[in-house]
Amino acid sequence: MFQSFSGNSRRPRQINLSGRHSLGSSTASRQPAAAKAPNTLATAQQERLLRQQDRNRLNATRTIQRWDQLDMDAAASVYGSKGNAGLGDAGPTSDQMPPYPSLDECLQQLRLLLQFVDVRVEKDRLRLARYAARLQKTTMPAPSPIGNDEWMWPLLRLGQVSLASLLAPRRGRDIVPDQLVFLIFLTKVAPRIIPPIASLYYLALSHLIGDGYVDRTNDETKALFIAFASAPLQTRSPDLSRVYESCASNLLTTPDLESHLGTLHPLYSALELSELAAVLATLLGTAQSRGNILSLAPEARLWLLAHFIALHQIADDVQKAADRKAKPHYVAVVSVLLGSLADEVSQRIDVQDAPMHPPSTMFDDVDDDENPHPHPYATSRAAVRPLPPFVRQRILALVNQQSITSLLAQTDALAPADGVVSQRTTDARLLANYALSLLRIFPRRADEIRMWLYLGSTSAPTPPSDRPSTRLPAIKYFWKASKATRVFTSISQDSRMAIELLKSNAHPERGHNNRIQGGGVWLEETDEQWRIILIFFELYTFVLKVMDDDEFFSARSSIMDASSVSNSWTRASALPLEEVKDLTTFLKNLAFTMYWNASDLGGRVDSDGHEGFQSYFSTSGSPAPAVDRPMDTDRGETRTAVAGMTGMTIDYVKGIVTGLLRMIYERDSRRPFLPKDHWLMTERFDMQGFIPDVVAEEENRHRVQEADDEDGEADDDPPDEEATPSRGIIGNQHVQRTRAIELLKRRQRRASRKKYLEAVTPRLEILQNMPFFIPFTTRVQIFRAFVILDQRRRRGGHVDPDQWRMSIMQSAMFSRTGDSPSPAEDLISKHHAKIRRQSVFEDAYEQFYELGDGLKEPIQITFVDKFDTVEAGIDGGGVTKEFLTSVTNEAFGASNGLDLFVENEQHLLYPNPSAVDERKDILRQAGLPEGSPEWNEQIRDLLRRYEFLGRVIGKCLYEGILVDVGFAGFFLLKWALTGGMRSAAKESGYRANLNDLRDLDEGLYQGLLQLKNYPGNVEDFSLNFTVTDTLTASRSPPSTLVAAPMRTITRELKPNGSNMPVTNENRLVYISYIARHRLQTQPLLQTTAFLRGLGDIIQPSWLSMFNQAELQTLVGGDSSEIDVPDLRRNTLYGGVYAIGDDQQEHPSVRLFWEVMKALSDVERRKVLKFVTSTPRAPLLGFGQLNPRFSIRDAGREQDRLPSTSTCVNLLKLPQYADADVLREKLLYAINSGAGFDLS
């Protein structure tokens, strides 16, 4: 059947030896035999070659293993058995380890060793140590060829491998000393290899110290490590700066270096401090190179800063002449490092001691696979903890007068004439950065730092050159540096340039470690210039607080000799008035741009500093630090910083500029020295539509304020309940966190609305913060427009009082139910009061205090005499005026017995500073326990009276009623600054200063002035930081209480002030503290209550549109000469004097105006006061007088005196026929007060 059957049914195998892909047996069978043979042969040869290579490799491995065993036996004979390889075992000695026969063999062995050495293997490390010992023993000819090019690369690799072995995990430390000795040997014989491996060199040293290898009690070990640290620094390598950089970034960042070494003196002796300072200053000098240092973790930078300061302190003690050159570089290095750590240090420097994080946490955030040798502080995510004691002590050492003033003393005030970068500007930049960092870190000692800077000076050589140099005050030094900057010049010429210059510095991606690429040099220069300008602002603001007007106006030149006794240092620090003018131009343009272009500049809405939601989910009691964090990821908002310095925000700049500009404006208001229209910036506005635009913005502001009122209680929550959760109660922490988050949300909403207002209400922002940019008459019109807008809003569109009452009564007719009065009728009754003539203030207080801001609505007054008989008259507005003027006359009168206000020497009023203390004394005399309900009620009652008086004055302003009350300038200044505090309350709010004391107490002002300018030692006066308040007995105590005797109270101006003497160095701080106590602290409760009441009626933002003099004009009228023609045009006539169809005045009226025109201004004022109860005209002329000035006839009797109804501003003038008679009778009436008649 099968012809081919051979006895085996299995299919024959097909074997492919060609190495090619088979396409099947049929295809292969068709290939010719001649083609298969070469392929098969080549494949067999290749396989044989591979098998031979495998055998060779196996034989080589066996040979290496035999060599390794022989080498280990040799090493064991030197080091001993593995079990004895301990810390105390000695390494190879010159006797035990023979040298190499020749340098060629030594080099050959080194190359072989480097081919396979692995420092992770214990045996390889032993081989490395053996080679190092033999190399050191090998005889070197002179000069040694070991440093030539042939040896260069092998030795470089040997150094790297040796250093890596120090970083590798070790089971024993026996070879570490030998490795250190060998590396020291390498630095001597081959110094060229050190710079490339310097970073690894000092990193290894840092890790050995951090691992605790150095025993501070073992002098030999310490000496070895000092020698190891010093060896690279003592080489003469051309790239020595690289070595110093590595030493700084690796060794000086090691924690507790002094603790490990016992002292830093040997390290100081080993290095050249001037070289170290110069290298660091160069690295930190530009944004491109400073990243090498500032990229270090904050903790590492802290230790670098502390060690750098410590080395300079040693230099100061040793007084090494060569290190004096390091001082300028010292300022540069410390300023940059301190600036980069401002947030970190400010958060931690006052934190109480707490357990530091365990060492094991140092590497928790490090990926060992990516970085096998991380720095000990590769990251920092720990919670806020105190600074290490060593770091804290070194940073605190920066805050002292000698260290600050000495920096200025070493600065040359004059620029070199080379046309390049001014050395003066460079030095000023360094000092500015240094000073701003100190102010940022030590806010509680800011006044002291400013004072020490102010007392400092630079040397200003005076031609001819052989004359000794004079001292240039720090103020003038920084002023000259500021004026020389491009920022100052650009903004002074065009306010629009401020947008670009501020936005470039407020970029959200800017930071110490992340600078904008492209144009970086320009941005860096701009940063530096802003810092110079900002430190000048800080200093000049401080100086203006202690500089009296005479000193301010005394300056004549930029450089003056302050060494003479006749010139006080404050007088020497005064800028010439022409330069003050230049300064105000710059400030005006800068301030205008920051308010007008607030939406373009942006800024972070941050209601609670650096805290975000993460702080409320922290398990530690404290919020997490916000260090080097340009973006708050929890809220997606950026933190804008000016001058590249954390904490110097747009709001900070806006606040300090606003405060400084207003302080100069106040000087000009008291004693004008600038051109009349210097302060105006009307060219930047459309003045025709300005008032309607401002009114529209005010409507937006009111809408947002109503939204704020819905969140109104956010800031009133008890802080202890919000910030201090009770951790011991289960579940309480969750409740506290929920409440805290809700509180934060409300505050953020309010902060967001505030930022929104800054963006959409720029005109209002300027009016409230820089009102002098707009003419006074325009602001008065805006004020009246605001009042009318508010009246329409509150009264349902009815501005007229009678129409409002009519609408209320009409609504009452439809809302009454039963016999009970409707709410509308109840509202009308609350606004009606019966007032006794003999107790106007007390009755008004009792009946109207509870109205609160309801006092804005029209009120009705019925006067009664002591028999309760109602006086004749109808209140058409005139009786209200009479009531308000009577209340103010009684409350502010000198003999009223209330003692709420007192007069200064100019008979101007201010709240009685000792009123609260005197009331407390009376209560103590009566035996009431302090803090009891009755005690507290008595104090609250006193403050409610101040609050009510504030409402009365506010009611007069609201209704446009002038009152003859004069307030002290410093007190009015507090009114003006109550609404201008949106950006920075501490900067643009009221600041007590020496000149304001003049309005309070002339004697105290003169005494402090003498103390400030005293040429001798002020310690002779035995003053300390305390103040004595004198209390006088109240003249009208409550009937149940007994008057307390006069006594004094001594209070400390600062903690432990009684033990702190006043010296020549701190007397300016003492003067500022005295001014602050007298003007702010002592009358705080009284002033706050009055301003709260005033704010109930008049929006504080409305008041901030005026300065103190303008506010006095709002209250009492214009003090300029009486304009008779204007009064005549705005006078109404009644009775016989009414103007008829012929439009002719009555002959007696014409005689009256002739007499008025002939009177002196003093007599005209007496006539005006006789009729209207105030001697001053309204702000916008007599057309604004309410009620209008009126004249009516009073009979034909020629002997009768003129009379008035002051409540309606009505003059009752008899029909005199002769001008002389009219003049005689009128003068008699106004000088005697006769003829008063309320009708």
Side-chain angles (χ1 to χ4, degrees):
M1 181 179 296
F2 299 100
Q3 293 83 357
S4 60
F5 181 71
S6 61
N8 188 354
S9 62
R10 295 181 60 185
R11 190 173 183 174
R13 294 178 60 189
Q14 297 181 1
I15 301 174
N16 181 10
L17 299 177
S18 66
R20 297 180 180 179
H21 181 67
S22 176
L23 298 178
S25 59
S26 61
T27 304
S29 63
R30 290 194 295 266
Q31 293 179 353
K36 294 181 181 180
N39 293 336
T40 304
L41 180 61
T43 301
Q45 292 174 346
Q46 181 68 24
E47 290 179 350
R48 184 167 60 249
L49 179 62
L50 292 175
R51 286 193 295 272
Q52 183 62 38
Q53 290 177 349
D54 289 340
R55 286 192 295 271
N56 293 340
R57 187 179 297 108
L58 179 61
N59 293 332
T61 302
R62 292 171 180 170
T63 302
I64 292 174
Q65 289 176 346
R66 287 195 300 269
W67 180 30
D68 182 53
Q69 184 61 41
L70 294 174
D71 190 71
M72 287 298 297
D73 294 341
S77 67
V78 175
Y79 293 106
S81 63
K82 294 182 179 180
N84 296 327
L87 179 62
D89 294 336
T93 65
S94 57
D95 296 333
Q96 296 172 317
M97 192 63 62
Y100 286 105
S102 66
L103 287 178
D104 291 339
E105 183 178 350
C106 181
L107 180 60
Q108 182 182 5
Q109 291 296 323
L110 175 59
R111 287 171 175 166
L112 291 174
L113 178 64
L114 295 176
Q115 290 294 325
F116 64 85
V117 67
D118 185 351
V119 296
R120 293 173 296 182
V121 179
E122 183 75 16
K123 298 176 183 178
D124 284 357
R125 290 201 297 271
L126 292 175
R127 291 193 190 96
L128 190 63
R130 181 185 178 192
Y131 177 82
R134 297 187 67 184
L135 175 62
Q136 295 177 73
K137 188 63 178 174
T138 301
T139 302
M140 300 286 177
S144 174
I146 202 170
N148 59 28
D149 294 338
E150 185 182 13
W151 282 82
M152 181 65 184
W153 186 89
L155 287 181
L156 179 63
R157 281 287 299 136
L158 178 61
Q160 292 173 337
V161 171
S162 300
L163 291 171
S165 68
L166 294 176
L167 292 167
R170 299 178 299 274
R171 285 180 293 176
R173 299 178 179 172
D174 54 327
I175 62 174
V176 169
D178 297 320
Q179 289 174 303
L180 297 181
V181 171
F182 172 65
L183 288 168
I184 295 173
F185 166 78
L186 277 184
T187 63
K188 295 178 180 178
V189 298
R192 294 169 56 193
I193 72 169
I194 298 303
I197 64 173
S199 179
L200 188 60
Y201 187 100
Y202 284 106
L203 181 62
L205 177 59
S206 175
H207 273 267
L208 289 175
I209 295 174
D211 288 347
Y213 189 86
V214 181
D215 184 1
R216 62 180 301 172
T217 61
N218 189 328
D219 294 337
E220 183 179 352
T221 304
K222 288 193 299 182
L224 177 60
F225 271 83
I226 291 296
F228 183 75
S230 308
L233 304 175
Q234 296 173 348
T235 62
R236 295 184 178 181
S237 171
D239 200 6
L240 190 59
S241 60
R242 190 172 177 182
V243 177
Y244 273 95
E245 177 186 352
S246 301
C247 176
S249 58
N250 292 284
L251 178 60
L252 296 185
T253 56
T254 306
D256 293 315
L257 191 58
E258 185 182 55
S259 175
H260 291 294
L261 300 179
T263 177
L264 294 179
H265 281 77
L267 183 61
Y268 165 77
S269 301
L271 54 79
E272 289 292 336
L273 187 58
S274 58
E275 181 71 20
L276 174 65
V279 168
L280 287 177
T282 302
L283 288 173
L284 298 173
T286 61
Q288 289 79 3
S289 62
R290 71 177 53 166
N292 297 334
I293 299 297
L294 297 187
S295 60
L296 297 173
E299 198 75 14
R301 276 179 279 148
L302 281 173
W303 283 107
L304 173 60
L305 175 63
H307 289 141
F308 187 71
I309 296 172
L311 291 174
H312 273 269
Q313 290 175 338
I314 297 174
D316 291 338
D317 296 337
V318 175
Q319 296 183 347
K320 186 178 177 182
D323 289 334
R324 294 175 184 173
K325 298 184 296 182
K327 277 296 182 182
H329 300 311
Y330 169 79
V331 178
V333 174
V334 174
S335 63
V336 176
L337 287 177
L338 202 59
S340 71
L341 293 164
D343 269 357
E344 178 84 7
V345 176
S346 61
Q347 291 176 4
R348 297 174 58 185
I349 197 162
D350 290 328
V351 177
Q352 298 297 322
D353 292 339
M356 296 290 290
H357 59 80
S360 60
T361 64
M362 290 182 182
F363 306 100
D364 288 347
D365 299 319
V366 180
D367 189 346
D368 292 335
D369 294 334
E370 297 180 1
N371 185 9
H373 308 300
H375 194 278
Y377 294 104
T379 106
S380 176
R381 297 182 184 174
V384 174
R385 58 189 186 277
L387 290 174
F390 180 85
V391 175
R392 186 174 186 272
Q393 291 172 6
R394 296 305 174 273
I395 294 179
L396 287 176
L398 299 175
V399 191
N400 66 79
Q401 181 176 358
Q402 182 179 2
S403 66
I404 292 176
T405 56
S406 63
L407 297 178
L408 279 167
Q410 299 172 13
T411 304
D412 186 4
L414 299 181
D418 55 3
V420 195
V421 179
S422 169
Q423 183 63 35
R424 177 183 62 195
T425 304
T426 303
D427 292 342
R429 169 185 63 83
L430 298 176
L431 292 172
N433 195 31
Y434 183 83
L436 285 174
S437 299
L438 291 181
L439 290 173
R440 170 80 174 121
I441 293 172
F442 303 100
R444 297 179 183 176
R445 304 188 66 180
D447 277 343
E448 290 179 284
I449 296 171
R450 295 185 187 104
M451 182 190 65
W452 293 331
L453 284 169
Y454 153 75
L455 291 175
S457 63
T458 60
S459 61
T462 305
S465 58
D466 57 346
R467 290 182 54 189
S469 61
T470 59
R471 297 171 60 200
L472 180 69
I475 288 291
K476 292 185 177 180
Y477 171 76
F478 283 112
W479 161 244
K480 285 182 170 296
S482 300
K483 197 174 180 180
T485 61
R486 173 177 45 81
V487 170
F488 186 94
T489 304
S490 301
I491 296 178
S492 296
Q493 294 174 352
D494 185 1
S495 62
R496 296 171 181 84
M497 288 297 298
I499 301 177
E500 179 184 358
L501 292 169
L502 285 170
K503 288 180 70 175
S504 65
N505 287 278
H507 198 288
E509 296 179 4
R510 299 285 308 279
H512 294 293
N513 302 333
N514 187 12
R515 314 289 285 186
I516 297 177
Q517 299 298 324
V521 175
W522 185 87
L523 293 176
E524 181 68 17
E525 292 177 357
T526 305
D527 280 352
E528 296 167 356
Q529 293 171 15
W530 274 116
R531 292 169 194 163
I532 296 172
I533 293 171
L534 290 176
I535 194 60
F536 168 74
F537 287 170
E538 288 278 0
L539 290 181
Y540 199 52
T541 300
F542 172 80
V543 171
L544 287 181
K545 290 194 295 183
V546 296
M547 180 182 291
D548 63 271
D549 285 343
D550 292 338
E551 293 171 331
F552 181 83
F553 289 101
S554 66
R556 295 181 180 178
S557 63
S558 297
I559 301 178
M560 63 181 297
D561 188 0
S563 59
S564 62
V565 177
S566 59
N567 290 325
S568 70
W569 192 242
T570 311
R571 189 180 299 271
S573 300
L575 298 181
L577 298 184
E578 281 300 319
E579 299 193 7
V580 175
K581 180 181 176 182
D582 295 338
L583 172 61
T584 56
T585 301
F586 172 76
L587 290 171
K588 279 169 45 186
N589 290 344
L590 178 58
F592 178 86
T593 301
M594 286 192 293
Y595 286 105
W596 185 253
N597 301 98
S599 58
D600 295 331
L601 295 174
R604 172 178 176 165
V605 180
D606 192 348
S607 58
D608 289 317
H610 306 306
E611 297 180 17
F613 284 112
Q614 75 277 6
S615 64
Y616 293 95
F617 292 99
S618 175
T619 55
S620 63
S622 306
V627 181
D628 294 336
R629 189 180 55 182
M631 172 77 73
D632 190 333
T633 55
D634 290 321
R635 284 178 282 185
E637 295 165 350
T638 58
R639 297 177 56 196
T640 57
V642 177
M645 181 171 289
T646 306
M648 301 299 177
T649 62
I650 291 290
D651 278 350
Y652 160 77
V653 178
K654 189 184 295 185
I656 195 170
V657 169
T658 302
L660 180 56
L661 194 57
R662 295 190 73 144
M663 292 177 78
I664 300 176
Y665 175 72
E666 291 162 17
R667 301 270 182 171
D668 188 53
S669 300
R670 287 196 300 266
R671 186 173 166 182
F673 65 94
L674 293 171
K676 181 180 179 182
D677 297 331
H678 174 77
W679 295 101
L680 298 180
M681 296 196 71
T682 52
E683 71 278 0
R684 297 296 304 273
F685 301 102
D686 175 18
M687 295 307 296
Q688 292 184 349
F690 187 78
I691 295 178
D693 291 341
V694 171
V695 173
E697 290 181 5
E698 173 64 15
E699 289 181 318
N700 287 335
R701 184 205 62 77
H702 180 76
R703 186 183 72 253
V704 174
Q705 187 178 31
E706 287 181 338
D708 279 345
D709 292 340
E710 296 176 1
D711 295 334
E713 302 301 323
D715 293 331
D716 298 332
D717 294 333
D720 55 339
E721 295 182 10
E722 300 296 343
T724 312
S726 301
R727 302 176 185 174
I729 303 177
I730 297 177
N732 188 62
Q733 191 174 19
H734 172 72
V735 175
Q736 294 292 341
R737 286 175 177 170
T738 303
R739 294 178 60 190
I741 292 172
E742 185 60 31
L743 173 63
L744 178 62
K745 288 180 179 179
R746 289 199 299 268
R747 289 179 176 173
Q748 286 181 326
R749 285 196 297 268
R750 298 182 69 178
S752 299
R753 286 191 286 266
K754 185 189 79 170
K755 286 292 183 183
Y756 166 77
L757 283 178
E758 292 178 359
V760 301
T761 60
R763 297 171 183 83
L764 273 181
E765 289 292 317
I766 289 175
L767 281 171
Q768 293 166 13
N769 295 279
M770 306 290 174
F772 35 83
F773 288 174
I774 307 299
F776 174 58
T777 54
T778 304
R779 284 180 275 135
V780 174
Q781 294 174 21
I782 292 172
F783 177 79
R784 297 314 310 170
F786 284 172
V787 171
I788 293 174
L789 179 66
D790 189 62
Q791 288 174 342
R792 287 176 178 168
R793 186 186 301 116
R794 296 180 61 90
R795 301 176 185 178
H798 301 288
V799 176
D800 183 75
D802 292 333
Q803 293 181 358
W804 175 74
R805 293 190 187 97
M806 184 63 68
S807 66
I808 294 296
M809 295 307 298
Q810 287 177 351
S811 63
M813 294 174 59
F814 298 101
S815 60
R816 175 181 291 181
T817 56
D819 296 332
S820 60
S822 65
E825 291 174 319
D826 185 57
L827 178 63
I828 292 294
S829 65
K830 287 182 178 179
H831 287 77
H832 177 269
K834 186 168 65 173
I835 304 297
R836 294 170 297 173
R837 282 287 181 180
Q838 63 273 22
S839 57
V840 176
F841 176 77
E842 286 297 327
D843 289 351
Y845 171 72
E846 292 293 336
Q847 300 186 55
F848 284 142
Y849 175 80
E850 297 299 332
L851 284 179
D853 64 350
L855 194 61
K856 290 183 178 182
E857 272 50 271
I859 57 176
Q860 285 184 307
I861 304 298
T862 300
F863 282 106
V864 297
D865 58 18
K866 60 182 179 180
F867 303 107
D868 203 30
T869 301
V870 177
E871 294 184 359
I874 300 173
D875 188 358
V879 178
T880 299
K881 173 180 177 292
E882 174 67 18
F883 162 72
L884 293 174
T885 55
S886 299
V887 171
T888 56
N889 289 337
E890 182 175 325
F892 297 113
S895 58
N896 53 27
L898 295 175
D899 290 332
L900 298 178
F901 278 71
V902 292
E903 289 183 344
N904 61 11
E905 294 182 3
Q906 291 77 37
H907 304 290
L908 300 176
L909 297 167
Y910 59 91
N912 183 0
S914 59
V916 173
D917 288 327
E918 289 172 357
R919 176 61 63 91
K920 290 180 179 179
D921 250 17
I922 295 173
L923 297 176
R924 292 190 189 96
Q925 188 71 16
L928 292 179
E930 188 167 352
S932 64
E934 188 176 355
W935 170 288
N936 293 335
E937 179 57 30
Q938 287 286 340
I939 301 300
R940 281 195 293 266
D941 177 73
L942 175 65
L943 297 179
R944 282 196 293 264
R945 293 171 187 273
Y946 279 102
E947 185 179 358
F948 180 69
L949 265 181
R951 291 177 190 165
V952 170
I953 295 298
K955 177 70 172 176
C956 294
L957 292 171
Y958 196 78
E959 301 294 346
I961 296 173
L962 302 179
V963 291
D964 188 18
V965 178
F967 294 104
F970 75 88
F971 179 54
L972 288 167
L973 192 57
K974 296 178 182 180
W975 302 15
L977 295 176
T978 53
M981 302 187 295
R982 292 193 174 187
S983 295
K986 293 182 179 178
E987 302 296 339
S988 58
Y990 174 73
R991 292 183 172 197
N993 62 77
L994 181 60
N995 288 282
D996 287 345
L997 273 178
R998 196 168 201 167
D999 290 338
L1000 177 73
D1001 188 336
E1002 179 70 22
L1004 177 62
Y1005 167 78
Q1006 293 296 339
L1008 292 177
L1009 206 60
Q1010 292 177 11
L1011 175 67
K1012 184 181 71 171
N1013 299 325
Y1014 183 66
N1017 187 357
V1018 299
E1019 294 187 54
D1020 297 339
F1021 299 131
S1022 301
L1023 297 173
N1024 54 29
F1025 277 78
T1026 60
V1027 64
T1028 301
D1029 297 332
T1030 302
L1031 308 183
T1032 58
S1034 175
R1035 288 172 290 181
S1036 179
S1039 57
T1040 57
L1041 302 177
V1042 180
M1046 181 181 296
R1047 72 181 188 92
T1048 60
I1049 300 177
T1050 300
R1051 294 185 169 96
E1052 291 189 336
L1053 295 173
K1054 60 189 306 185
N1056 199 31
S1058 58
N1059 297 321
M1060 189 176 301
V1062 177
T1063 65
N1064 288 357
E1065 288 73 24
N1066 63 19
R1067 57 180 162 182
L1068 290 182
V1069 175
Y1070 172 77
I1071 291 172
S1072 66
Y1073 279 13
I1074 287 289
R1076 184 185 306 170
H1077 175 78
R1078 293 297 186 202
L1079 295 169
Q1080 287 182 267
T1081 306
Q1082 190 180 11
L1084 177 63
L1085 294 177
Q1086 303 90 299
T1087 302
T1088 302
F1090 180 91
L1091 294 179
R1092 183 169 56 247
L1094 182 62
D1096 287 341
I1097 310 300
I1098 303 294
Q1099 280 283 347
S1101 58
W1102 303 353
L1103 296 173
S1104 66
M1105 294 191 299
F1106 307 97
N1107 64 19
Q1108 61 268 44
E1110 293 166 346
L1111 283 172
Q1112 181 60 60
T1113 305
L1114 275 176
V1115 173
D1118 192 356
S1119 59
S1120 61
E1121 186 175 341
I1122 300 299
D1123 187 351
V1124 176
D1126 180 57
L1127 177 60
R1128 188 173 187 175
R1129 285 192 301 269
N1130 292 283
T1131 297
L1132 301 177
Y1133 303 97
V1136 175
Y1137 293 156
I1139 302 295
D1141 295 337
D1142 58 358
Q1143 300 297 313
Q1144 296 296 316
E1145 293 176 341
H1146 191 276
S1148 297
V1149 172
R1150 289 199 295 271
L1151 288 177
F1152 171 78
W1153 292 120
E1154 290 176 6
V1155 171
M1156 281 290 292
K1157 188 175 181 181
L1159 293 176
S1160 66
D1161 188 64
V1162 175
E1163 292 170 331
R1164 291 175 190 171
R1165 291 185 180 281
K1166 290 182 178 180
V1167 173
L1168 191 60
K1169 184 172 183 178
F1170 179 63
V1171 179
T1172 66
S1173 73
T1174 180
R1176 290 176 289 273
L1179 305 174
L1180 302 179
F1182 287 99
Q1184 300 296 316
L1185 188 63
N1186 183 28
R1188 299 283 286 274
F1189 191 92
S1190 304
I1191 303 176
R1192 61 166 295 175
D1193 66 294
R1196 296 178 178 271
E1197 295 85 351
Q1198 299 297 301
D1199 294 335
R1200 185 173 180 178
L1201 294 173
S1203 61
T1204 61
S1205 293
T1206 56
C1207 60
V1208 290
N1209 298 333
L1210 175 63
L1211 172 63
K1212 300 173 185 178
L1213 183 69
Q1215 299 177 35
Y1216 297 112
D1218 183 74
D1220 292 337
V1221 174
L1222 191 152
R1223 175 186 175 87
E1224 178 186 356
K1225 298 297 183 182
L1226 182 62
L1227 291 177
Y1228 184 86
I1230 63 177
N1231 289 317
S1232 64
F1236 178 80
D1237 178 27
L1238 180 68
S1239 61

